[in-house]
Amino acid sequence: MLTFYNNHHAQHHGRGEIFRGAAVPCSEKPERAGLVLAELERRALGRIVTPQGVSLASLERVHTPRYLHFLRSAWSQWAALDPANAGRDALPSLWPAHGMRRDVEPDNFTARLGMYASDAGSALTAGTWIAAKTGADCAINAAHALRLGERASFALTRPPGHHAGADYFGGYCFLNNAALAAQHLLDDGASRVAIIDLDYHHGNGTQSIFYGRAEVLFVSIHADPRHEYPFYLGHADETGEHAGLGCNMNLPLAPGASAASWFAALETACYKLAGYAPEALVVSLGVDTFAGDPRSSFALQSDDFSRIGERLAHLGLPTVFVLEGGAAVPEIGVNVVNVLAGFDGAA
């Protein structure tokens, strides 16, 4: 398996976030990718390479030009407001509510920041753009590797991506790596691509990007959004719209769901994937379903992640894995690599 590693990921390192009304240290931190990389190297699973840079036009296949321009320039604008801002992250403090206009971009930076943000937990830092852009490079390179003959590839990157929409960031995500990989597979000639999101939290950004399109199937297994982030999307009755009707499947699970319940949902997801008959698969690989993850109520153990990889391999599809969530617990590296090794061994 070929792994594309984002060696700029640590340049995005938020100082803090607002979580349930309190200022707390950021839980999405550089150690996450470091632990995965260390486990990959320890087990010598495949080859680790640096991605080639991709054009902004490739990103515009998923994200709006206005949003990309904001992300690229946000830190310099923030720092220009006040010399002291160089020592603190940019976090939004207001948002456009229902009925307010989003078509006119305000001149005020604070207003622009809120217009493109979905929460107060995703800090913009001096290195956010380079980290997110290199992560997008990893995802697109990983997708292209399938065309060059790889059976599977892995984008080892952070910040994650599946909460980022076409024109907003949130949930620690700025560019949607899984969506970029899927779109590149289509641009490379595939007529149908599927995405399965295994993160504890629903991939609201990915769903939104493809919700009206028939050429991408999105399937997600996640915690019920009535109880967990992102709260406002991820319900079972969201099945797509217009041309994409029937091309979206959400499998929300109740708090405290057992491993047996989770794997039953995986079987349902795999049945849907097989029926759609895609030419390639993108896996949003979040491992915050682990019982030891501090923000998870699910009960998967490290051995279960090997089973996940084996089951996905049995779909018989060229597959791109993209790292999403999972706290920097010691087991994160083992859990991620168990999925990859399980897939590799069964493929």
Side-chain angles (χ1 to χ4, degrees), residues 77-89:
Q77 294 178 50
W78 170 248
L81 291 176
D82 183 343
N85 282 353
R88 55 190 176 219
D89 299 339

Side-chain angles (χ1 to χ4, degrees), residues 65-308:
R66 191 175 74 167
Y67 173 63
L68 293 171
H69 175 73
F70 171 78
L71 273 187
R72 293 173 66 200
S73 61
W75 183 258
S76 61
Q77 294 178 50
W78 170 248
L81 291 176
D82 183 343
N85 282 353
R88 55 190 176 219
D89 299 339
L91 284 168
S93 57
L94 75 166
W95 294 265
H98 295 293
M100 292 185 174
R101 294 183 63 177
R102 293 177 55 87
D103 59 316
V104 179
E105 187 179 58
D107 292 334
N108 181 280
F109 176 80
T110 301
R112 284 199 304 280
L113 180 63
M115 189 171 78
Y116 293 116
S118 64
D119 59 49
S122 306
L124 270 167
T125 77
T128 296
W129 171 253
I130 185 63
K133 169 58 169 63
T134 308
D137 295 343
C138 288
I140 292 172
N141 276 250
H144 193 66
L146 301 189
R147 184 181 181 187
L148 300 179
E150 292 291 328
R151 171 72 171 80
S153 58
F154 175 40
L156 173 48
T157 184
R158 54 164 296 279
H162 71 150
H163 296 307
D167 62 352
Y168 62 85
F169 67 90
Y172 314 127
C173 303
F174 299 91
L175 295 174
N176 195 308
N177 301 314
L180 288 163
Q183 183 61 54
H184 186 80
L185 289 165
L186 294 172
D187 294 341
D188 249 358
S191 59
R192 294 159 76 88
V193 174
I195 302 171
I196 184 168
D197 193 317
L198 305 179
D199 196 276
Y200 178 73
H201 304 95
H202 177 255
N204 57 294
T206 314
Q207 173 174 307
S208 297
I209 288 165
F210 295 115
Y211 200 63
R213 295 172 59 179
E215 70 271 34
V216 177
L217 170 70
F218 177 70
V219 181
S220 179
I221 306 168
H222 53 271
D224 192 325
R226 291 175 298 178
H227 305 281
E228 294 284 1
Y229 187 93
F231 300 111
Y232 310 111
L233 213 61
H235 300 282
D237 62 352
E238 297 159 11
T239 59
E241 64 182 5
H242 308 308
L245 187 62
C247 294
N248 197 90
M249 172 180 270
N250 288 323
L251 298 165
L253 299 178
S258 66
S261 297
W262 194 93
F263 277 99
L266 180 62
E267 282 304 309
T268 300
C270 288
Y271 183 82
K272 178 73 171 180
L273 291 168
Y276 183 74
E279 295 168 47
L281 178 67
V282 177
V283 181
S284 273
L285 183 54
V287 294
D288 42 1
T289 50
F290 177 55
D293 192 290
R295 291 192 180 180
S296 173
S297 71
F298 289 175
L300 298 192
Q301 302 296 325
S302 290
D303 288 348
D304 290 323
F305 291 95
S306 300
R307 291 176 56 197
I308 294 170

